[in-house]
Structures are given as C-alpha cells and as structure tokens.
Amino acid sequence: MKLAETVTFGGGALARHAELRGNVRKQAELLADPAARTLAIWRGKPLFELANERCAPGWLMTGDRVLAQAGPPVFLGLAGGPRFAVDLSMWEPDSLPDTLTDFFDPSEQRHPDLPETARFAELRGTMTRLSPLDAELIASAKAVLGWHATHRFCARCGSESTMSMAGWQRDCPACKAHHFPRTDPVVIMLITRGNSVLLGRSPGWPEGMFSLLAGFVEPGEGIEAAVRREVFEESGIRVGAVSYLSSQPWPFPASLMFGCRGEALDDTISVDPEEIEEALWLSREEMIRVFAGEHPRIRAPRQGAIAGFLLSNWVADRLD
Ligand SMILES: [Zn+2]
C-alpha cells in the first residue's frame, strides 16, 4: 500500500541509533549535551506542550528540577539533538480525577513547576495533532517505559532486574538473563465481499461504535492464519486470500497492529457472543455516510486508529 506509512505513528523515520545504547560514557555525554531534551511520562500520560492549535512533546532540559523524581533515562535517538524519556509516575499531583482508569481519561495534569501550557494528557486525545516524528518519539517512549513499569522482575527466576542498554534491555543480576521490550502483534483486517466490508462491535463499546475485526496473533501462528482464524471465530466468515496493507505501532500498552485485507468466501454471519456483540456487512456507499456522520446507527471511526485509516482508504479506493 503506497500510503501505508501515512498512518498515525507511522513514517516518523526516527534515527534511533541503537549502536549508541551500550556505550555508558557516550550516553552520559548525550544527556549532558545542551541540545538534549527529555520527555516525562506520568502514569502513561506524556507531557505535552499544548497551546491553542500547537501540540508537541513537552521536552525538558537535562537537569530540570521536575526530573528530580524521575526514573532512569531511556535513549530514544537523535532528533535535532539527543532525545530521552523518563517515567515520572512518582510525582503526586494535589488531586487525582476519578477518570484515570477510564478507557479514555480526558483529564489533564499540571505540574506546579512547569508553565501553564505543559500538561500531562492522554495520547489518544492528542495523537492526530502530532508531527510523524513527534508521534513516533512519544509512542516509543510510552511503550518502552510501560514495559519497564510492568517487567521489573525477571521472568525466569523472579529476582528484581535492572535497566540496561540505555533503557532497551533489562538484566537479571541473579540468573544473568537478558530481557527485551515486548511488542505484541495484532492483526486487524479489512474483510470485503464484493462492494461490502465486514464490521463488528465488542460488548461494552460506546453506542454506535463499530470497527474492523482484530485479534492477537498467537504463538506459532503467521499473520495470514491469524486473520483467517480471528474472522472465523468472531463472525463465522471464512476468508480466502489475505494480503498485508499497513502497520501501526499502538502503545496502549504495547501492540503492533498489522493491517490486512482479506476476501470473504461467504457472507453468512454467525457471531460468537463471547467475542463480539454484533457483526454486519456495510456497503461502500453506507460507509461514506458513516464518515460523513450521516449514518443512522453507526458513528464515524475514531481518528488516528488504523481501522479508520484503512476504511477511509478503502472508501477512496486507495489501498493499492
Ligand atoms: Zn533471573
């Protein structure tokens, strides 16, 4: 797909410089570089610079006193200077909203030592306003710091492990095992039959929300097989030819979405209520009405997610 890397979180072309990660002295030099900047992430929410239409990472200088409570820096790469990320979850704001655990938490947190325009906010609400490079930097920071936060202990022997390789590895001091950041593969598929596309909705989704079917790839399974298995499990539809379209890192918390298309071999839907609540076929003309916000039942896909990206390109006949 020619437009594959125009998806949100795609096409950032971040110069990650993995060769610099293992050099402890070089890492110290990079951090001390006057052009170095660090992105703080508080409980999964990155610090943003939000002013009117402007939306960018809230970069902090090395030595900023806000960073005194932060964890060790993760080296993200070179992007106009060295770029790092730290976990600032230790910081306690004066009050906590009760929306923190919601699917989408609209609250924003302000640190008293930072300007009014610097706020911790949900990446879901800002991702479509970021440049591709900023989006990749933030997605990488959020994903790798989220991994550290949930993988403190060695999966082999249970001892507490330590961050190494500038944040891209954890080492176990007891059994000497090395652990690497996880990315979980997910297939998400545009299944078509003639002029129609297959949509489904999960139990508990907001009213009117439908999306492409999706599911985790299982160990030992290829992408094409996962597409066919998930579609059959969820909708009872058999899929023939499968091809790859586009991928999207999805750091909520650690997925890599493989956008695929597949041709349905039949059109009789039989949903598994354990998996999805409803599935349906929608014609291209109906999908245009969905995007226009004119469909009586189905609301337009969320901005930024690969499902909407694939559907809008299918409607516009730009999947080639
Ligand atoms: Zn161990």
Side-chain angles (χ1 to χ4, degrees):
M1 181 179 177
K2 293 191 198 82
L3 295 174
E5 290 184 81
T6 62
V7 69
T8 300
F9 299 127
L14 171 62
R16 292 169 178 253
H17 288 280
E19 79 282 2
L20 301 177
R21 293 173 185 166
N23 186 332
V24 174
R25 198 184 50 140
K26 181 67 181 173
Q27 284 297 317
E29 285 173 18
L30 291 169
L31 198 58
D33 187 318
R37 296 290 182 275
T38 296
L39 177 72
I41 297 198
W42 176 79
R43 301 179 194 179
K45 295 165 107 173
L47 184 68
F48 289 99
E49 174 72 22
L50 296 166
N52 301 321
E53 290 307 298
R54 179 174 160 74
C55 177
W59 295 116
L60 300 173
M61 308 263 292
T62 300
D64 193 303
R65 66 179 184 166
V66 170
L67 297 174
Q69 282 180 288
V74 171
F75 177 58
L76 299 175
L78 299 178
R83 294 291 177 264
F84 294 88
V86 293
D87 189 345
L88 198 65
S89 298
M90 292 285 285
W91 171 59
E92 289 284 350
D94 289 338
S95 64
L96 288 175
D98 54 12
T99 53
L100 274 184
T101 55
D102 289 2
F103 177 74
F104 177 79
D105 166 26
S107 72
E108 295 176 349
Q109 281 69 41
R110 235 209 90 209
H111 194 293
D113 294 337
L114 292 174
E116 172 68 29
T117 52
R119 278 165 281 164
F120 294 99
E122 267 259 19
L123 180 55
R124 276 195 173 89
T126 55
M127 58 190 179
T128 57
R129 295 161 60 198
L130 294 163
S131 74
L133 177 57
D134 285 346
E136 181 175 346
L137 283 159
I138 291 178
S140 304
K142 180 171 160 58
V144 75
L145 287 171
W147 175 73
H148 284 292
T150 52
H151 290 77
R152 277 178 53 204
F153 298 93
C154 176
R156 183 188 283 172
C157 79
S159 301
E160 185 157 8
S161 57
T162 55
M163 189 188 276
S164 66
M165 296 297 283
W168 293 90
Q169 188 173 314
R170 293 188 73 86
D171 297 330
C172 176
C175 77
K176 309 298 179 200
H178 302 304
H179 301 283
F180 304 95
R182 288 281 310 273
T183 298
D184 300 326
V186 175
V187 285
I188 182 159
M189 38 277 179
L190 187 97
I191 302 300
T192 54
R193 175 98 168 141
N195 189 46
S196 294
V197 66
L198 182 63
L199 300 181
R201 60 173 273 118
S202 293
W205 279 8
E207 193 178 334
M209 182 174 164
F210 281 78
S211 189
L212 299 179
L213 302 188
F216 286 100
V217 180
E218 296 191 340
E221 186 176 47
I223 289 173
E224 295 84 353
V227 167
R228 294 191 188 99
R229 175 184 55 75
E230 281 288 343
V231 173
F232 183 70
E233 284 176 3
E234 295 187 347
S235 69
I237 301 284
R238 296 276 183 194
V239 173
V242 172
S243 56
Y244 166 79
L245 292 172
S246 168
S247 71
Q248 180 181 49
W250 194 242
F252 306 101
S255 294
L256 175 60
M257 312 297 291
F258 287 97
C260 297
R261 72 178 305 178
E263 291 172 26
L265 298 177
D266 54 74
D267 52 16
T268 308
I269 291 170
S270 160
V271 300
D272 175 357
E274 294 285 310
E275 297 248 1
I276 57 173
E277 185 177 284
E278 187 182 353
L280 47 80
W281 291 104
L282 211 63
S283 72
R284 200 181 294 247
E285 292 70 29
E286 285 176 292
M287 198 67 224
I288 290 170
R289 292 184 67 198
V290 169
F291 276 108
E294 293 168 357
H295 197 278
R297 271 200 71 204
I298 300 174
R299 60 162 81 170
R302 279 179 298 141
Q303 293 273 311
I306 192 170
F309 173 79
L310 295 179
L311 283 165
S312 64
N313 282 298
W314 173 70
V315 162
D317 205 13
R318 288 190 307 234
L319 293 179
D320 58 327

